[in-house]
Amino acid sequence: MRNKVFSSFDEAVADIPDGACIGMDSWAIAATPQNLIAALKRKGVKDLTVVTHCFIPMIFGEDKSTMPSVLLPQMKKLITPVVGIAHLGGTAFVEEYVEKGLEVEQTTIGTMSSRLYAGAARLGGIYNPVGVGTVVEEGKEKRVIDGKEYILEKPIRLDYAFVSAHKADRLGNTVYKGVFRGDGPVMAMAADFTIVEVDELVEIGEIDAEHVITAGIFVDRIVEIPEDGLATARKLRELIDELHSIEPARKLMFG
Amino acid sequence: MKQRLDRNGIAKRAAKELKDGDYVNLGLGIPNHCADYADEGVIFHTENGAMGYGPLVSPDEPEKADFHYHDAIGRFWVPAPGMSVFDVVTSFVMIRSGRMIVILGALEVSEKGDIANWSTGGAHGGTIGGAMDLSFGSKRVIVTMEHNTKEGKPRIVKECTYPLTRKECVDLVVTDLAVIKVTPEGLLLREVAPGWTVEEVQALTGPKLIIAPDLKEIGL
């Protein structure tokens, strides 16, 4: 059996070249493959294209939570629906990089998922109804199909996908937990190489075939998050306690 | 002195539109509060990948919070029996399926039911997010918002001045002064806040309102 299990994150990202296009889903803390992102930062590759749902500034130190934005100095392009959060200074944190040439492509959340699916299925593009009559259609081909207007959106194909999952077996069959699923499954299918970081690596047969979300064919490398890694249960608990102690965050995140 | 409804009042009125068995996505701000007043059988969706989730975690019980279980703006909830979780592709297909009611906040709504709610314009005006997706393909779009800006200008206008989210999609607008239905003939004023006259509401609204024959006071 070919080995997909890597013992370190650095080893798992070792062959990623300058200029790679990498999907790394993130909904703030949720779904974020923090350990792989941290390893990519250590590796120091440049001219990256990053595809993610939520691109927000680093709120805490890198040892507590590592977001895709930690890669800003290494990026040439960002594709995302969400840049910054109003109450965290909006887009200010990306502006110095935009001045230095960072390209930012904004797309709606649903459109991004559809474009990733198109990339996965090798479609040439999608005719998308979302955004018709808005700034989204500027500069894009439009077409009327059966009396309805659509915008041509191009597929997103990834060189690598970084995916944050709950469990995987040694064949790469993967399950997720709660809203950490995000766009992990479609990114895994849209990438040439998919690297999954998991809370727990399990033996073949431990995951019920009926419960597999991402089939092993889409997973090339697996790294189990060690106890001293990022996004462990202990680290996530400490983040919640810290957020709970900050009044604006407590008001936002608790009912 | 006559008063406008407060934000909870707007949410409470909008929640009356929701019935047992409805699948509903709530936008940021006032819409979020609708969950507090909705029928028990209403099933809530969050676009980051869950349907039928349980109550929000209160600030008194932080130990119940878990990053695997929160809504699209980061509010923690507890898992509930009957809940389902899914990826974002599936989540947005649900929105486009025509099976869901969406309640959105807005900066402006036009006479024709256009909505502007994602950007105040300019380079730093806003981020696209999922608002355009939510306004497309749902069974019904309800808007909750304050009737006027802080400067007293109408938010219900002939033509939106802010960047559009979607054209001609809003069905009902619930504000702190009125409940207004978007119809092919124009905006139909159905309910006014207690103590307010039609003329007063009209004076604070951009387009000419059509007055419903069965006009009544907003009941909470």
Side-chain angles (χ1 to χ4, degrees):
Chain A
M1 188 177 78
R2 196 202 305 169
N3 180 41
K4 294 184 176 183
V5 180
F6 282 56
S7 58
S8 85
F9 294 101
D10 294 295
E11 206 186 324
V13 303
D15 65 348
I16 297 183
D18 289 348
C21 176
I22 308 178
M24 47 184 81
D25 202 21
S26 173
W27 291 71
I29 306 292
T32 309
Q34 296 192 34
N35 297 280
L36 288 163
I37 294 169
L40 196 64
K41 193 196 169 197
R42 284 194 293 275
K43 181 170 161 56
V45 280
K46 55 183 196 293
D47 296 333
L48 299 172
T49 295
V50 167
V51 182
T52 186
H53 266 113
C54 184
F55 196 79
I56 61 171
M58 291 287 293
I59 308 167
F60 302 103
E62 282 173 45
D63 57 325
K64 289 183 181 174
S65 77
T66 296
M67 304 282 103
S69 61
V70 81
L71 298 171
L72 263 170
Q74 296 165 250
M75 288 165 53
K76 71 160 193 235
K77 184 170 180 184
L78 168 65
I79 302 176
T80 187
V82 178
V83 187
I85 303 179
H87 54 262
L88 286 175
T91 56
F93 74 110
V94 295
E95 273 153 31
E96 67 169 291
Y97 296 97
V98 171
E99 277 165 29
K100 284 187 231 159
L102 175 73
E103 184 191 343
V104 179
E105 181 181 334
Q106 277 207 58
T107 177
T108 83
I109 299 175
T111 303
M112 195 174 96
S113 297
S114 301
R115 291 174 63 193
L116 284 163
Y117 175 75
R122 305 281 184 175
L123 307 180
I126 49 165
Y127 282 105
N128 187 20
V130 173
V132 168
T134 77
V135 294
V136 166
E137 69 178 35
E138 285 170 13
K140 292 176 187 155
E141 180 191 319
K142 283 178 73 181
R143 184 160 175 179
V144 176
I145 302 171
D146 294 338
K148 287 185 183 156
E149 276 190 292
Y150 297 86
I151 302 165
L152 176 63
E153 296 279 1
K154 291 191 174 164
I156 300 174
R157 183 78 202 169
L158 307 168
D159 297 320
Y160 291 84
F162 290 176
V163 173
S164 162
H166 186 45
K167 290 182 186 177
D169 67 21
R170 289 175 181 279
L171 288 168
N173 295 306
T174 299
V175 295
Y176 300 79
K177 187 175 175 186
V179 299
F180 272 48
R181 194 180 307 188
D183 257 340
V186 74
M187 283 186 176
M189 296 193 293
D192 291 341
F193 285 94
T194 296
I195 313 175
V196 177
E197 60 174 70
V198 291
D199 299 326
E200 196 185 345
L201 177 69
V202 299
E203 292 308 320
I204 293 164
E206 283 189 47
I207 298 173
D208 185 334
E210 301 285 354
H211 297 168
V212 170
I213 302 296
T214 295
I217 185 173
F218 294 116
V219 175
D220 300 282
R221 297 169 189 168
I222 309 153
V223 190
E224 188 179 42
I225 303 173
E227 250 175 63
D228 62 350
L230 294 160
T232 57
R234 181 175 60 82
K235 282 242 157 94
L236 294 175
R237 170 48 52 192
E238 284 168 5
L239 276 183
I240 288 174
D241 291 341
E242 188 163 345
L243 286 162
H244 185 263
S245 72
I246 307 168
E247 198 192 319
R250 186 169 65 243
K251 274 188 139 165
L252 180 75
M253 304 181 82
F254 290 86
Chain B
M1 200 182 92
K2 68 191 172 194
Q3 295 200 331
R4 290 169 178 250
L5 302 186
D6 62 14
R7 292 165 69 84
N8 286 316
I10 299 171
K12 199 170 179 182
R13 173 60 191 84
K16 289 175 82 170
E17 299 295 314
L18 309 177
K19 302 283 176 279
D20 183 9
D22 283 344
Y23 294 97
V24 181
N25 183 294
L26 301 175
L28 265 69
I30 298 172
N32 278 145
H33 295 286
C34 295
D36 300 337
Y37 304 105
D39 263 20
E40 208 172 295
V42 176
I43 300 165
F44 289 102
H45 168 262
T46 181
E47 58 268 34
N48 54 330
M51 179 76 86
Y53 54 89
L56 296 177
V57 175
S58 99
D60 305 328
E61 298 176 300
E63 69 281 359
K64 285 192 180 168
D66 179 337
F67 274 114
H68 295 89
Y69 305 115
H70 63 71
D71 69 14
I73 58 165
R75 299 182 314 160
F76 295 112
W77 38 256
V78 290
M83 180 177 90
S84 56
V85 294
F86 29 80
D87 71 345
V88 175
V89 173
T90 307
S91 186
F92 281 75
V93 170
M94 287 178 180
I95 292 164
R96 294 184 185 193
S97 72
R99 295 165 180 266
M100 205 179 293
I101 296 171
V102 172
I103 305 186
L104 295 171
L107 294 161
E108 289 174 331
V109 173
S110 85
E111 193 170 22
K112 290 186 175 147
D114 301 349
I115 176 172
N117 80 343
W118 72 274
S119 172
T120 53
H124 314 296
T127 196
I128 284 183
M132 291 183 188
D133 302 287
L134 286 166
S135 64
F136 178 85
S138 52
K139 181 158 73 176
R140 191 175 179 210
V141 177
I142 298 170
V143 166
T144 59
M145 65 178 184
E146 273 137 7
H147 205 88
N148 298 95
T149 65
K150 285 198 176 72
E151 296 76 37
K153 287 187 185 152
R155 289 188 185 279
I156 300 171
V157 292
K158 286 285 281 186
E159 296 280 349
C160 293
T161 60
Y162 290 119
L164 282 184
T165 306
R166 194 179 172 220
K167 284 185 172 177
E168 299 178 22
C169 64
V170 177
D171 178 61
L172 191 76
V173 186
V174 180
T175 75
D176 47 357
L177 290 185
V179 177
I180 294 169
K181 167 101 174 156
V182 181
T183 75
E185 292 74 40
L187 298 173
L188 181 70
L189 179 65
R190 280 186 166 172
E191 298 173 33
V192 293
W196 290 76
T197 67
V198 167
E199 293 71 26
E200 287 166 335
V201 172
Q202 176 65 72
L204 292 165
T205 308
K208 178 88 182 127
L209 296 167
I210 305 165
I211 315 305
D214 58 346
L215 178 82
K216 56 186 182 189
E217 207 170 71
I218 297 177
L220 300 176

